[in-house]
Amino acid sequence: MHVPDGFINAPTSAAAGVVAAGAIAVALRGARRELDERTAPLAGLVAAFIFAVQMLNFPVAAGTSGHLLGGALAAILVGPFTAVLCVSVVLLMQGILFADGGLTALGVNITVMACVTTVVAYTVFRGLVKVLPRARRSVTGASFAAALLSVPAAALAFTFIYWIGGTTDIPIGKVATAMVGVHVLIGIGEATITALTVGAVIAVRPDLVHGARGLTQKLRLRVNGDLVDAPAAEEPRTAPVAARASRRTLWVTGLVASLVLAGFVSFYASANPDGLEKVAADKGIDEKVEEHAAADSPLADYGVKDVDNARLSGGLAGIIGVGVTVVAGTGVFWAVRRRRADDVSPASTSV
């Protein structure tokens, strides 16, 4: 789904850039409400995990592969506004360091892969959670459905942008049919990865999953004929320390898993073109594709320059990518959280 330079003309790419910039501005403001001392480190980890899993292309049809987009996963784990920032950080790192996704098409990619997937997935997810039983299984099932629908939605979004500013004259009906058809299959893989990941985190720390908050109903007592919330039980003094240790364990486990996926498992990923690449080649969308501005990057095409061993080159590139993404993402989210802290400081709320 990474759109390269040359697929979309300059005016449309510029307009998509404006849309993406506006979405990021809104997301920065919204993320202040979502991020706290618990979720800010997790958000950086989510960005790194998405980067790692995107390196794992899986076969979906004859000669075609797919990979995680990540909008649904991030929205459910850390919230929709933070999710837009997570995926945007990943796309920025991929475009600048790895020559994956055009730089002039960065606005298109953020609009399609970060904004559309997040909005669609979180809307579907919240709608399902409201009607399903209040249980962890419901969150997992809703995660599957939300992720499944977010991928063909992104494919339709690309088709719409291509219809407006595509650089080749291809019947839009053929593009839409091909894009949606292959991305429905990719959506199954996306849904499986999303549901498994959300389920794993819920099993360990459900309080850290944004989409699972509020699942436990408060105990209510009848007092003088009226129902009132029962007072919360006091937690032992060691609880905050234990919670921090648990968060640290989850963060370290997630980082190690990301490094292993990007550094070792990625070598066994499918080498077939992904959904957009396959459709572009079959339908002629790539006739005017341009060379990436970062094609000479030492990490271009997910390999380390001058390292001849393919396994070692790809593994090192993946590990570097995870490291850079987790640092960049964590820095962004801590900065947003500090801005939130400044907004609610005693000085700003004093009368």
Side-chain angles (χ1 to χ4, degrees), residues 134-210:
R134 296 169 65 88
R136 295 179 182 178
R137 289 192 299 271
S138 299
V139 175
T140 305
S143 301
F144 185 95
L148 175 63
L149 293 175
S150 70
V151 179
L156 282 174
F158 166 78
T159 304
F160 177 73
I161 294 174
Y162 176 80
W163 175 60
I164 295 174
T167 55
T168 53
D169 187 17
I170 308 297
I172 196 63
K174 293 183 178 180
V175 175
T177 301
M179 285 292 292
V180 173
V182 70
H183 284 91
V184 165
L185 300 177
I186 294 174
I188 297 173
E190 175 105 10
T192 302
I193 295 171
T194 300
L196 289 175
T197 304
V198 170
V201 179
I202 287 180
V204 180
R205 289 295 303 270
D207 59 305
L208 295 182
V209 178
H210 184 276

Side-chain angles (χ1 to χ4, degrees), residues 42-44 46-47 50 74 78 81-91 325 333:
L42 180 62
V46 168
I50 290 173
V78 293
F81 294 106
T82 307
V84 172
L85 300 180
C86 280
V87 181
S88 297
V89 167
V90 173
L91 293 171
T325 303
F333 300 125

Side-chain angles (χ1 to χ4, degrees), residues 30-56:
R32 295 182 198 173
R33 300 190 298 270
E34 295 173 345
L35 294 171
D36 54 30
E37 69 279 357
R38 298 178 304 167
T39 55
L42 180 62
L45 177 62
V46 168
F49 183 77
I50 290 173
F51 175 91
V53 180
Q54 283 195 2
M55 295 183 65
L56 308 180

Side-chain angles (χ1 to χ4, degrees), residues 52-58 66-68 193 261-262 265-267 269-270:
V53 180
Q54 283 195 2
M55 295 183 65
L56 308 180
N57 281 48
F58 48 85
H67 63 69
L68 183 80
I193 295 171
L261 291 173
V265 181
S266 62
F267 179 77
S270 173

Side-chain angles (χ1 to χ4, degrees), residues 32 336-351:
R32 295 182 198 173
V336 173
R337 179 185 173 273
R338 288 193 63 181
R339 181 66 180 272
R340 171 192 176 182
D342 293 341
D343 289 344
V344 298
S345 63
S348 65
T349 57
S350 62
V351 179

